[in-house]
Every structure is written in structure tokens, then in C-alpha cells.
């Protein structure tokens, strides 16, 4: 399976053609994929915000944004610019340092997690060995930022929102990690690349969703809870807490929270598609198509084609899930805090534990289907 | 000196500085909230040191366990009971300080002794396992370190049961600290809604 474009290698060879040493070529290469992923994340947020506005309008039989660009596609940019030029206010009785550090601590781990999101065999920033575990570890930093901003705002609604966010995030991390563990058990590896390759045998039939239906549902519920999306948006429940931990924030600091929550949503959708929906895989394996068209799999044209198909498929699957998340947000009521914790600890945790045990048993019984 | 080594040295010195200053801040700062947040920063920098040593699994586990669980719970507890009250002066503060200082100095001398006697340089640096460490840690946890691993989980279970006993005194008829019968009226919620006796 070691084929596909290796852009880093080609880029380094290209720079060496100008007489640069391989180390300098590597240093010039390093920021490029990072910048690309950052831009991709921000553009993804703009698209998601537009989708959210349009779909919510459709759900409520409104038109939604219409005048900023065709169908209002420029509305998110207008929103962003507005937040950029707004005055940056720190409340007089607030704790200035923690108030500023909070939003940063919320955003940075989310962006760092994009390190492991693959769009193709070699199309990711770093194929670290711990892969998906890195994401679980990084997402556990976020509640500290939320608690920090909730505390520093010197506002009781903020503090309550921060505490709720931390409690929610701790409780849903455990079933989330357990359902990831079941997938890892089947793959024998933590690397996201291996997880996708393990599902690429027979196209849509070999996706993990058929082998891990319970894990898929548990993961999706927990991912929504970690993103604080309705029906789990208790930390910022408007009717109870004004806006939770964001209450005192304005301007760019508020924009950081906003960006963070939407990037987290896209990241969760991407990870669901990687873990359960075959990642960059086309429903029919590309090898079969290439064989059908009598083309060699290593031809440059086919390689560019498969790489673009991979990116399109990853983004398509992710946005399908984002669509479902938006639809859920505008059609379901919010759960109460005790219902939320009951669901997490008394329902999802035992179910994901049982799922892990059954997966381990099935792996021993049918090693050819559940990864030997 | 190659670029990789320079980067490594810069990262190492920044991380060690953050750890030292952060740890001093945790101990010396007056505000307990700042101490708790700084502790999180120290844990993160230690994870960074692990990363520099090519132990990425240990680094991620450090972040998950210490930052994501321990530190969040510490901050959580501080914020739930953060009362602005002056602490009562302790009568025998001097003798307590002497005892704690001597214990800390003993621990420090023990650490220095370990540092001086242990042979730190690897006999064969090429033999480092790097990314394979995840598998090796798993093998050890399920073979020769199985008993300590399980005993640690029993310890955690004991701590958890203790916390439940302390938090839910209403299930017991006697207060565990004083031995007096517990007044349960305050703890149990009234069964009828509050608004019914208003009209």
C-alpha cells in the first residue's frame, strides 16, 4: 500500500535542484503544510458558519443571509471582520492575565489536533506513532481553558458555564476514548493512516461503521458533547446562563472561542469519518476502478486523481456529518445537566465498555474480519 | 552543530526554565488559583521534555492524566470551595515549618544521590526504541509489571470509595467524624414542590 503522492519528497528534491542543502529545504518545507492546514481549518469554519445560518433558516422557514454575496456566502467573512474590528474589552474586576489566556488555551489544542488528520496516504502534517491518542490527550487540555475563562470573568454565569463545561468534558472523554480503543484494537495501531488503510480493503463494505455500529453512535454522541453542540450545549445555555463562559468576552477573544468551537466540530466530523467511514477511501476501491480502466496504479495521472478523490471524499464525509450536527442542533431540545451526566456515566460508559469487550472477543473469534 | 541539535537545545532550555519558574510559582504564589493553573503549565512542560526524549506515548499519557484529569479536578475543587476568607493563624507554625523543611531536604538529598550514582549514558544509543515504545509499555504492563499496575488500580478504588463516603454522609445514620446522629432534614429534599404551600 506504499504508493501515493509524496509532496514533501518532491518539494525537497525541487529545492535541492537550486543547490540548497537538505536541512534548509526541510526548514522551508516545514511551515507550508501547517499554514495550509490552518487556512483549511479557517475556511472550513467559514463554510460551516454559512451552512449553519442557511440550514437553521431553512429549519425555521426563513431565508437566512441573502445580501452578502450570492446566497449570502460572504456573511461569515462579514461576521469575522466585525469581530476583528470590535473593541477588546476586559471587565474592570476581571483577572486580566487569565482572561486573555483562557481563549488561547481553548483554541490551541484544537488546532494542534489537526496534526493527525489525514487527507490521503501522505497528505497529513505528521504521521506520529501515537496518532489518535494525541488527539484524545490534547482535547483534555481544553477544559482548563474553559475553567480559566469562566473564573477570570468574575461573573457567576461565566463560572457556572466553565464548571459545567469541565464536568461535561471529563465525563464524555471516557466513553469517547473507550470507543476509539475498540477501533484501535481492530487496527493494531494508533496511527490514523493505519486506521484508514485497515478499512480500505473492500470499499464501503469494509468501513468500520459495519463492524463498530455501537462504537460509531457512542463516539458521535460523545463528540457532539465535547463540541458543546445542542442537545449538549449546557455550558452556554442561553436561557439559563446568558452565554456561559463567553458572557464577558467581546471582539477577537470571543472570536477565538467561536473559531475554537467550530474548528472542533469540523475536527470531530473529520475524525468520525476517519475512524468509522473509511477516511479518504472511495466507496468503490480506486484500485478496482484503475484495473477496470486498464490503467497502472502508479501512473502520475492516476496518483493525482486518487489524491484529489481522497481529499474530496474526506471533506464530503466530514461535511455530511457537520450537516447532521447542524440539523440536530436546530431540531432537538437541550438536555438537563443531570440527564447529561446520567447519559454519560450510566449509559454510554457501560455500553462502550461492553463494546470494547465484545470487540476483543470477536477479534479472537474471527481474526480475519476484526483484524488479527 | 546541525539544525536539529540546536532546536533540541533551545527547546530543552525553554522547557526547563518554564518548569523551574512554574514550580517555584506553584509553591510561592499567594493565590491558590494561580498556583493550580501554573501546575498545569509545569505538567505540560514535563510532557514536552518526554517528547524531546522521543517518548511520545509517555508525553501524551502525561498530558491526558496529569493535565486533563488531575489538574482539571484540582481546579474544579478549588473553584467549588473558593471562599474568600482569611486563614486562621496556626499556633505552632515554626515547628511545622522545620519538620516540612527537613522532610523536603531529605527527599532532595535522596534525589541528588540517585542522580549522582545512576549511570545515565546509554550503552548503545542506537538501540533506542522510539515509536515502538507504546508496544513495549503495553507488554510490560501485562507481564512483569502486572501486579504493581493492578495494585495501583486498587489504590485508586480505595480513594474513590473514601470520596463517596465523605461526600454522601446522608446514607449513614451517624456522622463518621463526630459519632453523633446525622440531622438528615437539611440533606433530604422535600418531597412536595415548594410552590404548593404558598397559596
Amino acid at each position: 500500500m506504499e504508493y501515493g503522492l509524496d509532496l514533501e519528497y518532491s518539494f525537497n528534491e525541487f529545492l535541492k535542484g537550486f543547490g540548497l542543502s537538505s536541512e534548509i529545504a526541510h526548514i522551508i518545507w516545514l511551515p507550508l503544510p501547517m499554514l495550509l492546514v490552518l487556512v483549511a481549518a479557517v475556511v472550513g469554519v467559514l463554510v460551516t458558519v454559512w451552512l449553519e445560518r442557511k440550514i437553521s433558516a431553512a429549519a425555521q422557514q426563513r431565508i437566512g443571509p441573502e445580501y452578502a454575496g450570492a446566497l449570502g456566502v460572504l456573511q461569515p467573512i462579514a461576521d469575522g471582520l466585525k469581530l476583528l474590528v470590535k473593541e477588546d474589552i476586559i471587565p474592570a474586576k476581571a483577572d486580566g492575565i487569565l482572561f486573555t489566556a483562557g481563549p488561547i488555551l481553548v483554541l490551541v489544542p484544537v488546532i494542534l489536533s489537526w496534526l493527525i488528520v489525514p487527507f490521503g496516504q501522505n497528505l497529513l502534517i505528521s504521521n506520529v506513532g501515537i496518532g489518535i491518542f494525541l488527539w484524545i490527550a490534547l482535547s483534555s487540555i481544553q477544559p482548563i481553558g474553559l475553567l480559566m475563562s469562566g473564573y477570570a470573568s468574575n461573573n457567576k454565569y461565566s463560572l457556572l458555564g466553565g464548571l459545567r463545561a469541565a464536568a461535561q468534558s471529563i465525563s464524555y472523554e471516557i466513553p469517547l476514548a473507550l470507543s476509539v480503543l475498540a477501533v484501535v484494537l481492530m487496527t493494531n495501531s494508533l496511527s490514523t493512516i493505519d486506521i484508514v488503510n485497515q478499512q480500505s480493503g473492500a470499499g464501503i463494505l469494509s468501513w468500520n461503521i459495519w463492524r463498530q455500529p455501537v462504537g460509531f453512535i457512542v463516539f458521535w454522541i460523545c463528540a457532539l458533547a465535547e463540541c458543546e453542540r445542542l442537545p449538549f450545549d449546557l455550558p452556554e445555555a442561553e436561557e439559563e446562563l446568558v452565554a456561559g463562559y463567553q458572557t464577558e468576552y467581546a471582539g477577537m477573544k470571543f472570536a477565538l472561542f467561536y473559531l475554537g468551537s467550530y474548528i472542533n466540530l469540523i475536527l470531530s466530523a473529520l475524525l468520525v469519518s476517519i475512524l468509522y467511514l473509511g477516511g479518504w477511501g472511495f466507496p468503490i476501491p480506486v484500485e478496482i476502478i484503475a484495473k477496470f480502466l486498464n490503467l497502472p496504479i502508479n501512473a502520475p495521472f492516476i496518483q493525482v486523481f486518487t489524491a484529489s478523490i481522497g481529499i474530496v471524499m474526506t471533506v464530503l464525509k466530514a461535511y455530511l456529518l457537520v450537516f447532521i450536527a447542524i440539523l440536530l442542533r436546530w431540531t432537538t431540545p437541550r438536555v438537563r445537566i443531570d440527564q447529561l451526566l446520567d447519559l454519560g456515566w450510566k449509559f454510554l460508559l457501560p455500553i462502550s465498555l461492553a463494546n470494547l469487550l465484545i470487540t476483543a472477543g470477536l477479534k479472537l473469534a474471527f481474526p480475519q474480519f476484526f483484524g488479527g | 552543530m546541525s539544525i536539529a541539535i540546536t532546536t533540541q537545545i533551545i527547546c530543552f532550555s525553554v522547557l526547563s526554565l518554564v518548569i523551574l519558574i512554574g514550580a517555584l510559582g506553584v509553591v510561592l504564589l499567594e493565590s491558590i488559583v494561580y498556583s493550580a493553573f501554573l501546575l498545569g503549565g509545569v505538567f505540560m512542560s514535563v510532557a514536552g521534555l518526554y517528547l524531546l526524549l522521543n517518548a511520545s506515548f509517555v508525553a501524551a499519557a502525561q498530558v491526558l492524566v496529569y493535565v486533563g484529569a488531575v489538574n482539571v479536578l484540582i481546579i474544579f475543587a478549588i473553584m467549588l470551595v473558593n471562599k474568600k476568607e482569611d486563614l486562621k493563624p496556626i499556633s505552632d507554625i515554626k515547628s511545622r515549618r522545620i519538620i516540612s523543611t527537613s522532610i523536603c531536604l531529605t527527599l532532595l538529598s535522596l534525589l541528588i544521590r540517585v542522580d549522582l550514582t545512576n549511570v545515565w549514558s546509554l550503552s548503545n544509543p542506537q538501540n533506542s526504541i522510539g515509536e515502538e515504545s507504546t508496544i513495549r509499555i503495553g507488554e510490560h504492563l501485562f507481564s512483569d509489571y502486572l501486579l504493581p499496575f493492578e495494585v495501583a488500580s486498587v489504590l485508586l478504588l480505595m480513594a474513590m470509595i473514601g470520596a463517596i463516603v465523605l461526600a454522601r454522609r446522608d446514607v449513614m445514620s451517624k456522622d463518621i467524624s463526630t459519632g453523633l446522629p446525622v440531622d438528615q432534614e437539611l440533606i433530604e429534599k422535600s418531597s412536595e414542590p415548594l410552590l404548593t404551600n404558598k397559596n
Side-chain angles (χ1 to χ4, degrees):
Chain A
M1 291 298 290
E2 275 304 315
Y3 65 89
L5 294 173
D6 193 341
L7 292 175
E8 178 178 2
Y9 179 74
S10 333
F11 182 82
N12 284 356
E13 288 301 305
F14 174 71
L15 279 188
K16 273 182 209 163
F18 288 109
L20 292 171
S21 75
S22 61
E23 273 189 341
I24 295 189
H26 188 60
I27 285 179
I28 297 176
W29 164 258
L30 272 179
L32 291 180
M34 302 183 198
L35 263 180
L36 194 67
V37 161
L38 208 58
V39 170
V42 172
V43 171
V45 168
L46 293 180
V47 174
T48 312
V49 170
W50 179 76
L51 275 178
E52 176 117 71
R53 283 170 172 277
K54 272 300 190 190
I55 294 170
S56 70
Q60 296 169 344
Q61 303 196 335
R62 295 183 283 116
I63 295 174
E66 195 184 17
Y67 295 109
L71 291 172
V73 280
L74 295 180
Q75 189 64 43
I77 297 175
D79 287 354
L81 282 178
K82 184 199 80 175
L83 286 172
L84 206 62
V85 296
K86 266 177 99 168
E87 186 187 353
D88 184 29
I89 300 168
I90 296 179
K93 290 276 179 76
D95 190 320
I97 303 167
L98 296 183
F99 192 78
T100 313
I104 298 171
L105 264 183
V106 173
L107 185 63
V108 167
V110 183
I111 291 181
L112 268 184
S113 309
W114 282 70
L115 208 69
I116 54 144
V117 177
F119 292 91
Q121 182 69 40
N122 289 312
L123 290 172
L124 83 171
I125 299 184
S126 165
N127 185 13
V128 282
I130 52 169
I132 199 81
F133 187 52
L134 182 78
W135 170 64
I136 294 175
L138 282 174
S139 69
S140 72
I141 302 176
Q142 233 190 352
I144 291 193
L146 299 177
L147 278 172
M148 193 182 267
S149 43
Y151 171 81
S153 299
N154 199 12
N155 174 329
K156 56 187 164 203
Y157 296 120
S158 296
L159 184 60
L160 276 175
L163 288 175
R164 275 188 183 186
Q168 181 171 331
S169 163
I170 292 174
S171 357
Y172 279 80
E173 216 158 68
I174 302 164
L176 188 84
L178 284 175
S179 50
V180 170
L181 212 56
V183 173
V184 169
L185 200 65
M186 284 171 30
T187 316
N188 294 323
S189 166
L190 289 162
S191 152
T192 41
I193 296 277
D194 293 346
I195 288 173
V196 175
N197 277 337
Q198 179 255 134
Q199 306 173 55
S200 65
I204 192 166
L205 291 176
S206 57
W207 289 357
N208 272 339
I209 184 169
W210 311 120
R211 288 178 282 180
Q212 288 285 331
V214 179
F216 170 72
I217 292 166
V218 170
F219 186 90
W220 181 235
I221 293 175
C222 294
L224 282 182
E226 292 270 313
C227 296
E228 288 151 19
R229 297 282 299 183
L230 255 167
F232 306 109
D233 73 333
L234 288 145
E236 47 200 277
E238 297 93 343
E239 294 85 352
E240 307 162 31
L241 295 178
V242 189
Y245 52 84
Q246 312 171 349
T247 306
E248 299 287 350
Y249 282 88
M252 209 48 213
K253 289 193 188 111
F254 172 74
L256 289 185
F257 278 128
Y258 197 74
L259 263 181
S261 75
Y262 276 101
I263 293 181
N264 206 358
L265 176 67
I266 300 168
L267 180 75
S268 301
L270 279 170
L271 283 169
V272 172
S273 69
I274 287 160
L275 288 172
Y276 296 101
L277 300 178
W280 66 80
F282 195 65
I284 305 161
V286 182
E287 290 85 354
I288 293 178
I289 300 175
K291 206 177 274 174
F292 184 70
L293 295 173
N294 258 333
L295 289 165
I297 195 72
N298 281 328
F301 163 72
I302 288 290
Q303 286 207 7
V304 170
F305 181 70
T306 46
S308 0
I309 285 256
I311 296 173
V312 169
M313 285 318 289
T314 317
V315 173
L316 195 72
K317 287 167 188 170
Y319 269 95
L320 193 72
L321 290 160
V322 167
F323 173 72
I324 295 172
I326 293 174
L327 215 57
L328 271 177
R329 171 168 178 184
W330 294 97
T331 46
T332 48
R334 180 181 302 130
V335 297
R336 273 200 326 261
I337 185 84
D338 59 319
Q339 291 170 333
L340 175 99
L341 295 178
D342 272 0
L343 178 72
W345 288 104
K346 294 184 187 164
F347 184 71
L348 292 179
L349 180 61
I351 275 201
S352 53
L353 259 178
N355 182 46
L356 182 63
L357 273 180
I358 291 169
T359 309
L362 286 174
K363 179 176 163 142
L364 289 178
F366 309 103
Q368 65 273 36
F369 292 115
F370 288 87
Chain B
M1 212 186 323
S2 78
I3 296 165
I5 293 176
T6 322
T7 326
Q8 210 160 357
I9 288 174
I10 293 171
C11 288
F12 176 73
S13 35
V14 168
L15 285 173
S16 335
L17 259 183
V18 171
I19 290 176
L20 285 178
I21 296 171
L24 281 177
V26 172
V27 181
L28 298 178
L29 278 182
E30 287 276 307
S31 159
I32 190 167
V33 177
Y34 276 98
S35 295
F37 283 128
L38 269 181
L39 188 64
V42 173
F43 285 149
M44 286 295 293
S45 320
V46 173
L49 279 189
Y50 289 143
L51 214 55
L52 275 186
L53 292 169
N54 263 347
S56 49
F57 181 80
V58 183
Q62 161 92 8
V63 171
L64 184 68
V65 174
Y66 283 94
V67 182
V70 174
N71 199 40
V72 168
L73 280 183
I74 290 175
I75 296 168
F76 210 86
I78 288 172
M79 288 190 177
L80 282 180
V81 293
N82 193 14
K83 285 189 216 152
K84 289 267 159 60
E85 63 179 62
D86 295 326
L87 297 173
K88 271 179 265 170
I90 304 165
S91 51
D92 48 351
I93 186 86
K94 224 166 224 175
S95 60
R96 284 182 189 219
R97 277 199 177 140
I98 291 169
I99 293 171
S100 57
T101 314
S102 57
I103 290 173
C104 289
L105 282 178
T106 321
L107 278 176
L108 181 68
S109 59
L110 189 71
L111 282 177
I112 290 172
R113 196 189 125 76
V114 169
D115 188 21
L116 291 179
T117 51
N118 202 0
V119 183
W120 292 105
S121 62
L122 282 175
S123 55
N124 189 1
Q126 308 303 324
N127 242 352
S128 60
I129 42 176
E131 292 287 14
E132 256 181 56
S133 61
T134 317
I135 299 166
R136 295 283 281 276
I137 289 171
E139 280 169 357
H140 280 299
L141 280 185
F142 280 98
S143 56
D144 44 349
Y145 285 98
L146 185 62
L147 188 66
F149 184 62
E150 295 296 328
V151 169
S153 71
V154 173
L155 188 74
L156 287 177
L157 184 70
M158 275 156 59
M160 214 147 75
I161 293 173
I164 291 171
V165 167
L166 285 179
R168 299 209 48 190
R169 293 196 180 170
D170 55 330
V171 294
M172 280 177 287
S173 55
K174 273 188 205 166
D175 193 313
I176 41 165
S177 52
T178 56
L180 297 170
V182 174
D183 180 17
Q184 301 213 341
E185 272 178 31
L186 283 173
I187 300 162
E188 281 176 6
K189 288 170 199 158
S190 64
S191 53
E192 56 195 85
L194 288 171
L195 288 175
T196 45
N197 24 355
K198 283 219 168 154
N199 42 6

